[in-house]
Structures are given as C-alpha cells and as structure tokens.
Amino acid sequence: MTVLYAFLSPQQIDEQVLAVLRETIAGTPRFDVALTDVGWFGDTVVWLAPQPSRPFRELTSAVWQQFPEAPPMPGRTAMWCRT
C-alpha cells in the first residue's frame, strides 16, 4: 500500500526519516482490510480500493504531518480511498 505519494526523493531518505516513519506507523493499531474494488487512474494505472479506508487516510495524514514538505498530490489526500 502506498500511504503518501509523492514522498521524498530517494536521496532524502536516511536513517532519521526511516526512524520517524517507523515511530509514526507504529502508533497505528493493527486493522483488517479487504481490497474490494478495482479502479483506474486514467487508463494506465490500476488500483485496489481498501475497505475500510479510514485507517489508510489516517496513516496518510499522520505521515504528512511529520513531513509537511511532502504533501499528497494536490486535492488527493487519500486519492485511493472512498468514504
């Protein structure tokens, strides 16, 4: 699962970034998910819709709060989630 796209460039991802990601993600309780629908971005990228989507939206927000310089694609905080 992609939690936040676009993220930092590979050159920016160091041990400190990984530590912050580990800590941020570790604070999320485990949850069950089912991939219930198939969708498309345009006609070249396929994606699977998770249900429930809320935990993924919360993960996206949590990571974005830690890395405000890496916002989700404009207008798509959780572009793959349906409410």
Side-chain angles (χ1 to χ4, degrees), residues 1-42:
M1 282 291 173
T2 300
V3 173
L4 181 61
Y5 182 83
F7 192 56
L8 306 175
S9 70
Q11 298 80 11
Q12 294 174 289
I13 299 174
D14 58 16
E15 284 305 315
Q16 182 178 358
V17 168
L18 294 175
V20 170
L21 286 170
R22 281 187 209 99
E23 183 177 322
T24 301
I25 293 168
T28 301
R30 290 182 183 199
F31 57 92
D32 291 324
V33 65
L35 302 174
T36 58
D37 296 306
V38 177
W40 289 88
F41 294 124

